[in-house]
Amino acid sequence: MDERQRVTVLGATGSIGENTLDVIARHAGRYRVFALSCGSRWRELLAQCRVHAPEYAVVADHAAATELRAAVRAEGLRVEVLAGEAGLVEIAAHPDTDIVMAAIVGAAGLMPTISAARAGKRVLLANKEALVMAGRFFMDAVREGNAALLPIDSEHNAIFQCLPGGYRAGQASPAVRRLLLTASGGPFRSCPLADLEHVTPAQAVAHPNWVMGRKISVDSATMMNKGLELIEACWLFGMPSSRIEVLIHPQSVVHSLVEFVDGSVLAQLGNPDMRVPIACGLSWPERIESGAGTLDLVAGASLAFEAPDLARFPCLAIAMDAARAGGCAAVVLNAANEIAVQAFLDGRIGFTRIASTIAGVLDSLGCTEPESLEHVKAMDLEARAIAQRLLKNV
Ligand code: NDP
Ligand code: MG
């Protein structure tokens, strides 16, 4: 009998997806690809199907799914092609899959990721936006499904590894005093403030330490990424934002730290390579080779830490406020950010308009605590509509 664990990779054609397939390919005796998905880039997904021979391939975009289906048939590949959110939900919760890598970018990943949690899978969570927007409902799904939730975001994976005596989703350990989230500061950490207004999308996605998808790269440049991660950490580790500190650490070697009540501080270090947390998530509590190089602390520069400058990074300040405000502010924050970042990437607005657009949406929406997942989705849509309206009035 084939005892390999069967992995579904949601967002397989992205940066995290590719890294996941790289780690899986190093351990062909241990894992096998069950299903792969993409948004619309079906040719890239077809290439992955040839190599990894999944049972299912899902394309969110229906027209692109039709193209993939025809190509699969023409090549005689034995893969079933599904389409749309329903297809994503199906492969995430399929009884024949054991592990689900949630690596779709943005709110589009919400329902597939929640479905995997409800179905009790081992959920490898990269798609932070899903947790940020639906925190309570997401964590409820994890508990109800008795799923194993493994953080893949490098900072949260670092904290997960430093926590004593086993991680329990959403529950704080009484031994922990504080969490320290590190941030590289992105490409604009030290450029003159006056230049920020004119930076281009190409400059913003050129991250100094990590190669990532375009949306998260812009989030890193604004430091909204760290703001989303702050909210993510509150949910994952059951901590109020007041006990989570953000630290700029330009080298991206210390991935985050946990301070205990006795004053001890544990950190996880490593080269900035997402295959490390991915391998950890796949194999925990065992360890497998990830392909990442050995950390050379002597050859590397010295490790530096500084407090973030909130005037330079207003998105971080806005997200900190949203973290304090709770539920609905996080939904609105995430939705407005997705719209504003896309507008920046499309060349419709300047870099500094990202923060002011998000602030404008938060100001114009009254906040009530979301009562259900449907309520979250409605708030998300409303915030997107307001953001689009504000952008039209540029
Ligand atoms: P990419 O942009 O590289 O990949 C995104 C993936 O999602 C692609 O497979 C894309 O398909 C798919 N996708 C896009 N839109 C949709 C949609 N509407 N429906 C279904 N699928 C869709 O992103 P990353 O891999 O960089 O990031 C993925 C997630 O992981 C994000 O939430 C990010 O914040 C998080 N993360 C990423 C890190 C990194 O190092 N990259 C680090 C930590 C967290 P297609 O190719 O067809 O567009
Ligand atoms: Mg991160």
Side-chain angles (χ1 to χ4, degrees):
M1 208 185 106
D2 190 348
E3 302 219 318
R4 292 178 298 172
Q5 289 176 279
R6 297 155 299 182
V7 187
T8 286
V9 185
L10 301 171
T13 50
S15 162
I16 293 286
E18 295 262 13
N19 277 308
T20 304
L21 291 172
D22 180 280
V23 177
I24 289 174
R26 290 165 192 276
H27 302 279
R30 190 172 172 133
Y31 305 104
R32 132 175 121 70
V33 173
F34 173 73
L36 297 173
S37 87
C38 74
S40 59
R41 297 188 314 136
W42 65 270
R43 288 185 183 82
E44 284 75 5
L45 196 62
L46 175 64
Q48 292 182 340
C49 289
R50 290 188 194 116
V51 176
H52 298 281
E55 277 157 57
Y56 291 91
V58 184
V59 189
D61 181 87
H62 285 263
T66 306
E67 302 263 22
L68 179 65
R69 200 170 287 121
V72 157
R73 204 170 298 140
E75 289 193 23
L77 295 177
R78 284 165 53 102
V79 50
E80 187 166 338
V81 177
L82 304 177
E85 187 174 86
L88 296 170
V89 164
E90 184 174 336
I91 57 165
H94 198 288
D96 293 344
T97 195
D98 307 297
I99 303 176
V100 176
M101 165 55 82
I104 292 172
V105 60
L110 176 65
M111 291 318 291
T113 308
I114 290 228
S115 308
R118 279 190 190 135
K121 307 300 181 191
R122 174 183 280 238
V123 179
L124 275 46
L125 182 70
N127 179 204
K128 66 193 85 181
E129 296 92 344
L131 181 55
V132 167
M133 69 188 287
R136 185 156 63 86
F137 306 103
F138 187 103
M139 297 309 288
D140 284 350
V142 168
R143 274 186 292 270
E144 283 159 21
N146 199 20
L149 183 59
L150 283 295
I152 297 302
D153 217 345
S154 57
E155 298 76 4
H156 306 74
N157 185 265
I159 291 167
F160 168 85
Q161 293 194 47
C162 293
L163 287 175
Y167 164 68
R168 293 175 64 116
Q171 288 187 27
S173 159
V176 174
R177 183 188 287 159
R178 277 192 320 156
L179 304 177
L180 295 106
L181 272 185
T182 54
S184 69
F188 308 135
R189 181 175 59 89
S190 49
C191 76
L193 273 184
D195 291 0
L196 284 179
E197 210 177 321
H198 306 292
V199 297
T200 64
Q203 290 171 307
V205 300
H207 196 278
N209 306 339
W210 300 94
V211 180
M212 308 182 286
R214 285 162 69 76
K215 191 261 179 183
I216 185 177
S217 295
V218 176
D219 285 347
S220 298
T222 61
M223 281 194 77
M224 176 57 88
N225 184 49
K226 213 49 53 180
L228 298 176
E229 290 183 358
L230 174 69
I231 299 169
E232 182 185 15
C234 292
W235 288 111
L236 285 174
F237 305 114
M239 297 278 274
S241 63
S242 56
R243 283 167 61 195
I244 306 175
E245 188 177 337
V246 172
L247 272 180
I248 300 232
H249 164 51
Q251 295 79 19
S252 299
V253 165
V254 177
H255 296 303
S256 276
L257 312 91
V258 177
E259 182 182 311
F260 295 92
V261 287
D262 62 5
S264 291
V265 179
L266 296 190
Q268 185 258 354
L269 283 70
N271 286 326
D273 185 328
M274 286 308 292
R275 291 176 300 178
V276 177
I278 291 168
C280 171
L282 283 167
S283 65
W284 187 266
E286 292 172 25
R287 298 276 185 173
I288 56 171
E289 209 263 317
S290 69
T294 297
L295 178 63
D296 188 341
L297 281 170
V298 174
S302 59
L303 302 178
F305 299 91
E306 66 195 39
D309 173 357
L310 295 181
R312 176 179 292 275
F313 297 112
C315 280
L316 178 59
I318 296 169
M320 285 171 154
D321 286 344
R324 272 189 291 271
C328 113
V331 186
V332 175
L333 176 89
N334 179 66
N337 182 55
E338 287 193 29
I339 297 295
V341 168
Q342 193 56 53
F344 169 69
L345 283 170
D346 293 343
R348 289 165 56 211
I349 58 169
F351 184 74
T352 47
R353 277 294 305 270
I354 298 175
S356 56
T357 303
I358 299 165
V361 179
L362 278 161
D363 280 348
S364 59
L365 260 179
C367 243
T368 51
E369 194 62 27
E371 285 151 16
S372 64
L373 210 43
E374 277 56 48
H375 194 186
V376 168
K377 288 195 247 177
M379 281 179 177
D380 172 80
L381 289 179
E382 192 183 356
R384 280 166 200 270
I386 293 175
Q388 297 285 18
R389 220 174 301 140
L390 290 180
L391 289 174
K392 271 206 195 104
N393 302 331
V394 178

